[in-house]
Amino acid sequence: MSKSKFFQSVQNYFDKAARYTNLDDGLLHQIKTCNAVYRINFPVKIGNQVKVVEAYRVQHSHHRNPTKGGIRYSRHVTQEEVMALATLMTYKCAIVDVPFGGAKGGVKITPWEYTGDELERITRRYTAELIKRNFIGPAIDVPAPDYGTGAREMAWIYDTYQTFKGGDVIDAAGCVTGKPTNQNGIRGRTEATGRGVFYGIREACSIEEDMKKRGLSKGIEGKTMVIQGLGNVGSHTGMISQDEGGVKIIGFGEVEGAIYDPNGIDIHQLLAFRKETGSILNYPGAKSFPKEERDIVMEFECDILVPAALEDQITMENVDRIKAKIIAEAANGPINSGAQEKLIERGVMILPDVYLNAGGVTVSYFEWLKNLSHMRFGRMEKRFNQRAFTNLVELVEEKTGKIIGDREKSVVARGADEIDLVRSGLEETMVVAYHQTREILNMNGGLNDLRTAAFVNAILKISNDYQSLGIFP
Ligand code: NAD
């Protein structure tokens, strides 16, 4: 699928969902269209040469501010791709009730071809360009990590913003999220997207009726999983699914190839093995497939397939060979619209990106709130709660005459830390959004997939905002 097809795919999903809403055409057009597209070419000194870097920032929707979305570093970046991803961000935020418009950034480079110093120069210059045009700021547009970027790049962005604006803007730390925790970041942000993917899969598996339709038993425990991409999202999805969900992971795919072992592969040991050898290939006990055959990972027999690398991984070319019963879209846009129709016909459950990978933006929202409040979550109430719970436990002891052991006491009478609150807020968000989406799916005759239901949910919420302005009918 070319990049313009990815954008078209997102627009097709919107049009399909819009038919279930009865909204005015003008309003639908306003929701669908990209509000601002900024394309830049800037020079950066690399070695003895000057490289002109092509980059983008797209703000899809200003119905809520700031706008929000990750920055991607990849040689595949195009305007259409960034537009598609910014568009998805608007709907994603609406689905999980995060009060932002959608945005996305892209820098057309292959990050591993540059040294750390060079990447820093590129990142700082890109940020300066955004500052110049007022395309970044805690109340304007707040970037975050995406494919090819992480906490390190976010720290450079924050520092550059501080340098230019820190004197005037007391909330400067809220200009970007996904920062390191010692740089005004939040605990739990790095794992957030993967953790959200896990909560989404777990919730879907908890509904007996939906599992039965796919010949599966209720509950996530014991289900088999295959993961494509062992970066931030893929590795955290895998670790949390294995450790907290009791999932058996039987296959992995990375750039260097794929591996498969029906008896299960411990993800922690695999990550350590890859760190040591530089590859997942030849992992003891697993069958290895070389780089040229790496796409076979999508075709492994399993209950849950997790594409967590890039878009356009399941197409008309390979859709008939996909054997998974549930496809959990951790990556953005891994299934194209034609292939999706075929999978739905076959009864495959697709947990759509627009809902499933919203954990990152949800915890980014928590980080932004923390930055605006200038205080860590839990600081005010932790000790108070701890004391109140202890008093309660002591009262129970006194009234019943039974002594509660120190271990139990420390579990019951514990005040929540920032990480506990972040995880709890994320779990609540993913669970509520899943049931809202499923309800829309079951209420609308003719609707047969969660993606369209999620889009309907988003369109209705965004239209409410516009309608309350009195501009649209
Ligand atoms: P990342 O750069 O940390 O990881 C991507 C991984 O995929 C890398 O390890 C890379 O080697 C691997 N990969 C690339 N091409 C591959 C191929 N052809 N086959 C197998 N593996 C391949 O990126 P990430 O942040 O984990 O993002 C992954 C996906 O999740 C992207 O689609 C991104 O848009 C989406 N996403 C990320 C976040 C986030 O918070 N990071 C949030 C929402 C969505």
Side-chain angles (χ1 to χ4, degrees):
M1 179 166 54
S2 72
K3 300 302 173 186
S4 59
K5 278 201 184 145
F6 177 33
F7 183 53
Q8 195 51 51
S9 232
V10 176
Q11 302 298 60
N12 290 348
Y13 293 142
F14 179 94
D15 292 340
K16 184 176 171 191
R19 291 199 283 274
Y20 294 89
T21 64
N22 287 328
L23 290 169
D24 171 74
D25 279 350
L27 175 54
L28 287 169
H29 190 207
Q30 173 59 28
I31 296 173
K32 184 177 171 183
T33 201
C34 275
N35 291 177
V37 179
Y38 181 34
R39 179 190 160 140
I40 343 152
N41 290 285
F42 54 81
V44 182
K45 193 136 189 262
I46 305 290
N48 293 326
Q49 292 184 329
V50 172
K51 182 175 165 60
V52 177
V53 177
E54 180 182 326
Y56 300 86
R57 184 72 188 171
V58 173
Q59 296 168 351
H60 170 258
S61 179
H62 294 152
H63 76 287
R64 291 217 173 173
N65 285 299
T67 49
K68 183 101 193 67
I71 296 175
R72 172 174 287 210
Y73 284 3
S74 157
R75 70 190 159 93
H76 300 295
V77 162
T78 64
Q79 182 171 322
E80 284 79 13
E81 181 190 65
V82 186
M83 284 166 71
L85 292 163
T87 307
L88 280 176
M89 281 304 296
T90 295
Y91 308 140
K92 201 175 286 187
C93 289
I95 290 163
V96 290
D97 291 324
V98 164
F100 297 142
K104 203 79 179 187
V107 179
K108 198 179 178 70
I109 55 166
T110 307
W112 51 89
E113 286 178 357
Y114 296 93
T115 64
D117 282 354
E118 290 163 353
L119 283 173
E120 180 173 351
R121 248 176 279 145
I122 293 170
T123 307
R124 286 185 183 278
R125 178 65 195 245
Y126 175 65
T127 311
E129 296 292 334
L130 296 180
I131 295 169
K132 255 187 348 201
R133 299 282 163 224
N134 228 7
F135 258 73
I136 183 171
I140 299 167
D141 188 355
V142 183
D146 190 65
Y147 185 90
T149 60
R152 179 183 67 164
E153 285 73 16
M154 302 307 115
W156 291 331
I157 293 173
Y158 171 37
D159 188 54
T160 310
Y161 187 83
Q162 277 267 80
T163 309
F164 281 87
K165 299 270 195 176
D168 306 330
V169 183
I170 192 169
D171 295 325
C175 74
V176 63
T177 59
K179 302 179 291 294
T181 37
N182 61 2
Q183 290 272 346
N184 286 294
I186 195 167
R187 281 160 195 80
R189 174 60 183 88
T190 311
E191 63 167 28
T193 306
R195 180 166 285 281
V197 170
F198 164 69
Y199 290 140
I201 299 173
R202 191 194 63 187
E203 213 46 37
C205 291
S206 73
I207 300 169
E208 190 162 15
E209 182 192 340
D210 295 352
M211 289 301 101
K212 235 180 175 175
K213 280 189 205 156
R214 275 109 196 158
L216 294 169
S217 58
K218 179 183 165 180
I220 192 169
E221 199 174 341
K223 294 233 169 356
T224 55
M225 179 181 274
V226 166
I227 301 177
Q228 182 200 37
L230 267 174
N232 176 312
V233 180
S235 63
H236 284 103
T237 301
M239 288 189 281
I240 297 165
S241 298
Q242 177 183 297
D243 298 346
E244 297 178 30
V247 163
K248 181 160 92 167
I249 312 181
I250 57 174
F252 289 95
E254 249 299 334
V255 276
E256 64 269 21
I259 57 169
Y260 181 73
D261 181 353
N263 297 317
I265 299 163
D266 182 278
I267 184 166
H268 299 283
Q269 286 177 18
L270 176 70
L271 289 171
F273 177 85
R274 187 172 190 238
K275 205 169 172 192
E276 200 184 306
T277 65
S279 170
I280 59 171
L281 296 180
N282 304 318
Y283 181 75
K287 185 169 172 17
S288 290
F289 299 84
K291 188 173 184 172
E292 312 74 64
E293 294 172 31
R294 68 185 177 200
D295 292 347
I296 199 163
V297 66
M298 309 306 283
E299 300 168 25
F300 291 155
E301 188 136 15
C302 61
D303 298 327
I304 307 162
L305 173 64
V306 183
L310 286 172
E311 58 271 4
D312 193 24
Q313 298 303 300
I314 302 178
T315 62
M316 295 305 269
E317 193 280 314
N318 64 356
V319 65
D320 292 333
R321 300 191 299 277
I322 305 291
K323 299 175 196 78
K325 300 189 175 94
I326 300 172
I327 302 178
E329 291 187 330
N332 284 310
I335 306 176
N336 78 14
S337 46
Q340 157 165 291
E341 293 311 313
K342 285 196 136 196
L343 292 166
I344 294 168
E345 264 169 41
R346 275 170 33 201
V348 175
M349 173 183 250
I350 299 172
L351 300 173
D353 49 7
V354 73
Y355 155 70
L356 195 69
N357 66 30
V361 73
T362 302
V363 176
S364 273
Y365 169 46
F366 300 158
E367 181 177 333
W368 179 78
L369 289 173
K370 175 185 177 178
N371 295 150
L372 299 195
S373 72
H374 298 258
M375 191 167 28
R376 143 177 81 76
F377 287 108
R379 178 171 169 180
M380 297 293 273
E381 64 274 39
K382 180 179 166 177
R383 301 272 158 181
F384 178 84
N385 287 341
Q386 213 155 292
R387 216 157 289 140
F389 298 147
T390 306
N391 289 343
L392 196 66
V393 172
E394 283 170 3
L395 188 70
V396 171
E397 282 182 330
E398 192 186 309
K399 294 284 176 199
T400 61
K402 287 192 178 135
I403 298 295
I404 298 172
D406 283 348
R407 206 183 59 79
E408 280 108 327
K409 237 184 229 170
S410 68
V411 172
V412 177
R414 197 172 75 86
D417 276 319
E418 182 169 87
I419 186 75
D420 303 311
L421 295 169
V422 165
R423 286 177 179 167
S424 154
L426 175 59
E427 183 173 7
E428 166 71 5
T429 303
M430 295 306 292
V431 170
V432 167
Y434 187 76
H435 290 283
Q436 258 180 18
T437 307
R438 190 175 175 274
E439 215 165 277
I440 291 175
L441 175 69
N442 291 339
M443 261 168 30
N444 282 273
L447 246 181
N448 62 0
D449 69 288
L450 280 163
R451 190 189 318 275
T452 312
F455 269 70
V456 170
N457 191 8
I459 294 170
L460 291 176
K461 286 181 183 174
I462 299 164
S463 68
N464 247 332
D465 278 16
Y466 278 118
Q467 281 165 328
S468 62
L469 292 174
I471 304 172
F472 294 100

